[in-house]
Amino acid sequence: MRWLFGIALLVPAFAIVQALPLAQFLPATLAALPDTIPQGLWPASVSLAPDASVLGAIRATGFILFVFLVFEIATQPERSRGLLMWLMLGILAHAIFGLVALRVLDNFALWGEKLAYQGVLTGTFVNRNSVSTFLGFGLIVALALTLERGHRASQSEKDRGHATLLSPQRLEIMALWTAVLILALAILLTESRMGVFATTVGGFITFLTLRLRFGTPLKRIVLETTLILLVVGLVLLSSAGSGVTERALFTALQSANRIEIYEIVLRMIAERPLTGFGYDAFAAAFQLYRDEGMTTQLYFDMAHNTYLTLWVEQGVLFGSIPLLILLWALARIIRRLARGESDPAVLASALGVICLGAIHSLVDFSLEIPANVYCFLFIVGLAIAPPRHNTPAPPPSPATRDGSA
């Protein structure tokens, strides 16, 4: 797996190169800027924010080292499953705090007065979309653990009567389903449209994967899916989903700003397809290309699309490295599921989390928030970590046997 870390390290390495004063040695087309800016004012580096690019390189290196540590601890399925449980409990604690802060403490925020997203659950985050992704990770993990525990209980407890209703296994399953419902309620109260949609898709992928892995008939899967959707629709949406529903009705009207941003960003990518504008330098670059005729005068420091951000900041070549690594991880997880390797709950959690992150990243920057990145890497890292094979001890030599005798 050394090759994986070698390829990943190309991202922070190129970020450092972008921050160096090398622009004068490059053809003008590789360091181009808008015609309104005289070449005499062009920066000495490819990056328009070299200091930010260096800090971004340090942060990206930290992400890679974190994955390395996850690989070191994810050597046993039981350990990985236990770590997933602790992660889920931590995210559940965030959800409970968010609910209390919103409903009991009158929209309380840890950082002081809440200036945005009034009446919306943000918990320990500032942005509702970011917290919805974070909570979605917890919901998918909780769902996977619940289904795995349920399958194990059905195999070990053949008597489905009242004798096993309150067994420790059944009580644990009920507690996990409660966690799923609490996390779902918290996500709805964020009023994040794409957060709800991406979590629903990711959760369904996890649910379908595990039910198929456990040999559940297709008719029963359809019935269970319908039942779950009815419960969510009738109970959760009716009690807390009005904000999401109202915002979903105006999605088309409110998407004009995003479309304008994407059009400008695509022009920026075409301007510097190989070199980019510098890691973490999107905000500085976007202001140079921003049209004065934009319908909104809001300040944008994010592209609201992680894929476009990667290509703007590091070019199409180096900006695609994280996406290619993620595709490789996805293929590895699917291959392990097909072969029956590793823990199914860990693999299904990672599969659902990847789907959630991939969908939400189309319209937002949730996976550009370090807290979400670390959770994402932790779950996926547990699923793709190489198993550690214990080397058997060599047989004792004749001299050793004689000496011991």
Side-chain angles (χ1 to χ4, degrees):
M1 300 291 285
R2 294 179 181 177
W3 64 268
L4 178 66
F5 293 100
I7 294 176
L9 284 170
L10 291 175
V11 173
F14 185 61
I16 295 295
V17 172
Q18 289 177 305
L20 296 176
L22 302 175
Q24 57 182 325
F25 303 108
L26 298 176
T29 54
L30 295 181
L33 287 175
D35 296 335
T36 55
I37 301 176
Q39 289 197 13
L41 298 179
W42 289 13
S45 61
V46 170
S47 174
L48 300 188
D51 292 341
S53 296
V54 172
L55 291 176
I58 296 173
R59 186 179 67 253
T61 303
F63 293 152
I64 297 169
L65 292 176
F66 179 74
V67 174
F68 177 80
L69 293 177
V70 172
F71 278 14
E72 288 297 307
I73 63 175
T75 56
Q76 299 177 0
E78 296 78 10
R79 181 185 297 171
S80 297
R81 197 184 310 125
L83 291 171
L84 267 188
M85 176 66 80
W86 281 109
L87 175 66
M88 185 276 295
L89 291 175
I91 297 176
L92 177 64
H94 277 266
I96 294 173
F97 169 79
L99 291 169
V100 172
L102 178 65
R103 297 300 195 190
V104 179
L105 302 180
D106 193 24
N107 221 21
F108 172 76
L110 288 174
W111 55 88
E113 183 182 359
K114 195 172 181 180
L115 301 177
Y117 303 119
Q118 296 292 336
V120 173
L121 186 145
T122 54
T124 56
F125 288 69
V126 176
N127 183 276
R128 63 174 157 209
N129 297 307
S130 299
V131 73
S132 69
T133 296
F134 181 75
L135 298 174
F137 291 162
L139 186 148
I140 288 173
V141 171
L143 179 62
L145 293 173
T146 303
L147 295 174
E148 189 273 335
R149 295 292 198 278
H151 176 73
R152 196 193 313 170
S154 67
Q155 297 298 309
S156 62
E157 299 175 352
K158 299 300 181 182
D159 176 18
R160 295 179 178 272
H162 67 277
T164 60
L165 183 61
L166 296 179
S167 66
Q169 282 185 312
R170 298 291 177 179
L171 291 175
E172 182 184 19
I173 293 169
M174 287 188 281
L176 286 170
W177 275 119
T178 302
V180 171
L181 292 175
I182 292 174
L183 287 163
L185 176 63
I187 293 170
L188 286 173
L189 288 174
T190 66
E191 297 186 11
S192 171
R193 294 162 294 189
M194 187 54 76
V196 172
F197 175 75
T199 301
T200 301
V201 175
F204 175 73
I205 293 296
T206 299
F207 174 81
L208 182 63
T209 298
L210 285 175
R211 299 312 278 165
L212 291 175
R213 173 70 181 273
F214 296 148
T216 307
L218 187 58
K219 290 183 179 180
R220 183 174 175 179
I221 293 176
V222 173
L223 180 62
E224 291 175 341
T225 303
T226 304
L227 180 61
I228 292 175
L229 290 176
L230 284 175
V231 170
V232 172
L234 295 178
V235 178
L236 294 180
L237 283 177
S238 62
S239 60
S242 58
V244 177
T245 305
E246 292 172 4
R247 294 190 72 237
L249 294 175
F250 295 96
T251 298
L253 296 176
Q254 297 173 353
S255 62
N257 292 341
R258 299 285 179 89
I259 294 174
E260 285 185 311
I261 295 173
Y262 298 156
E263 290 175 348
I264 296 173
V265 169
L266 289 173
R267 293 204 305 268
M268 294 169 64
I269 295 172
E271 189 88 0
R272 289 193 186 186
L274 296 179
T275 55
F277 291 87
Y279 200 58
D280 274 3
F282 172 84
F286 183 78
Q287 299 310 311
L288 299 181
Y289 287 85
R290 176 179 180 141
D291 294 336
E292 295 182 359
M294 283 187 66
T295 57
T296 178
Q297 297 303 315
L298 296 176
Y299 174 76
F300 288 97
D301 58 352
M302 299 285 192
H304 292 269
N305 182 308
T306 300
Y307 307 98
L308 296 180
T309 299
L310 289 171
W311 293 329
V312 165
E313 293 185 346
Q314 290 215 301
V316 176
L317 180 61
F318 287 91
S320 297
I321 289 176
L323 306 180
L324 294 175
I325 292 176
L326 191 58
L327 287 174
W328 172 85
L330 183 63
R332 183 177 176 88
I333 292 169
I334 294 174
R335 185 167 61 250
R336 282 189 163 185
L337 282 167
R339 294 176 179 176
E341 301 175 1
S342 191
D343 186 276
V346 176
L347 296 174
S349 294
L351 198 61
V353 162
I354 290 175
C355 291
L356 189 165
I359 293 172
H360 207 167
S361 294
L362 288 169
V363 296
D364 216 273
F365 50 84
S366 293
L367 281 186
E368 298 169 49
I369 305 301
N372 287 339
V373 176
Y374 278 114
C375 284
F376 182 85
L377 293 177
F378 185 75
I379 298 169
V380 176
L382 291 177
I384 66 173
R388 178 172 296 176
H389 302 287
N390 295 324
T391 305
S397 63
T400 304
R401 288 198 299 267
D402 294 341
S404 61

